[in-house]
């Protein structure tokens, strides 16, 4: 006689900073197996939600595993990185670069038994570092663009 009782809800949520654009979401089981197809993924309003499908939850061999939601992002076209904290790092060629530091915390909700209240947990805080454009280079590019515009009709 089986004592297995499937959970009713397994949902991962992660609010993504408005300066980032969500490119891809992957759910990994035990860090090895891609199980994304077993989740309904929604990225509306930069809030990523992954809800396990009922069929997936009904299979006992999907329990006692570790699940990770991997979210690939890029800088949004309208990003404003100026109000974020920054860090400076030197690359392997000795060139210093400035990066905006974007904090992130995910959340997990699980309903363990029928009609029970969801239990929730927050992840540790993680950071994404995004390179901030070099202001000197931006000014040089702007001067070049203005120069090219002013001489566009001249022979």
């Amino acid at each position: 006689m089986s004592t297995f009782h499937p959970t009713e809800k397994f949902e991962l949520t992660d609010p993504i900073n408005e300066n980032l654009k969500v490119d891809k979401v992957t759910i990994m089981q035990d860090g090895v197996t891609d199980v994304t197809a077993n989740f309904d993924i929604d990225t509306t309003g930069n809030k990523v939600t992954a809800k396990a499908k009922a069929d997936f939850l009904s299979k006992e061999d999907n329990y006692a595993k570790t699940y990770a939601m991997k979210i690939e992002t890029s800088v949004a076209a309208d990003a404003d990185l100026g109000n974020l904290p920054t860090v400076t790092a030197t690359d392997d060629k000795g060139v210093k670069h400035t990066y905006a530091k974007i904090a992130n915390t995910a959340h997990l909700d699980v309903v363990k038994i029928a009609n029970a209240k969801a239990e929730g947990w927050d992840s540790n805080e993680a950071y994404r570092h995004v390179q901030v454009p070099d202001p000197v280079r931006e000014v040089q590019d702007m001067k070049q663009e203005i120069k090219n515009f002013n001489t566009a009709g001249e022979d």
Side-chain angles (χ1 to χ4, degrees), residues 49-68:
T49 303
K51 296 179 183 179
K53 295 177 181 178
D55 183 56
F56 183 76
L57 294 175
S58 70
K59 297 177 182 165
E60 188 172 0
D61 59 340
N62 290 322
Y63 289 76
K65 310 265 186 199
T66 301
Y67 293 91

Side-chain angles (χ1 to χ4, degrees), residues 148-155:
N148 289 343
F149 180 75
N150 288 337
T151 61
E154 299 175 10
D155 290 329

Side-chain angles (χ1 to χ4, degrees), residues 19 28 34 53-54 67 72 83 96 108 114 130 135 149 152:
N19 291 300
M28 299 299 291
D34 183 341
K53 295 177 181 178
Y67 293 91
E72 295 178 30
N83 61 345
K96 288 187 177 184
L108 169 66
V130 178
F149 180 75

Side-chain angles (χ1 to χ4, degrees), residues 51-144:
K51 296 179 183 179
K53 295 177 181 178
D55 183 56
F56 183 76
L57 294 175
S58 70
K59 297 177 182 165
E60 188 172 0
D61 59 340
N62 290 322
Y63 289 76
K65 310 265 186 199
T66 301
Y67 293 91
M69 181 166 59
K70 178 181 177 185
I71 303 170
E72 295 178 30
T73 61
S74 56
V75 177
D78 59 347
D80 178 12
L81 304 178
N83 61 345
L84 297 171
T86 59
V87 294
T88 302
T90 304
D91 67 18
D92 57 353
K93 295 178 182 158
V95 178
K96 288 187 177 184
H97 298 280
T98 302
Y99 296 89
K101 186 177 177 181
I102 301 175
N104 186 51
T105 303
H107 186 78
L108 169 66
D109 280 325
V110 177
V111 174
K112 293 183 178 179
I113 58 173
N115 301 317
K117 184 178 176 185
E119 293 182 45
W121 297 270
D122 289 328
S123 71
N124 59 321
E125 190 171 55
Y127 294 93
R128 162 88 196 255
H129 291 94
V130 178
Q131 188 168 357
V132 176
D134 179 3
V136 173
R137 181 70 195 157
E138 280 188 1
V139 170
Q140 289 171 346
D141 289 346
M142 188 183 304
K143 285 180 182 176
Q144 184 64 40

Side-chain angles (χ1 to χ4, degrees), residues 12-24:
L12 300 153
T13 58
D14 195 347
I16 303 300
N17 184 285
E18 67 274 1
N19 291 300
L20 300 175
K21 178 177 81 75
V22 176
D23 297 323
K24 182 179 178 182

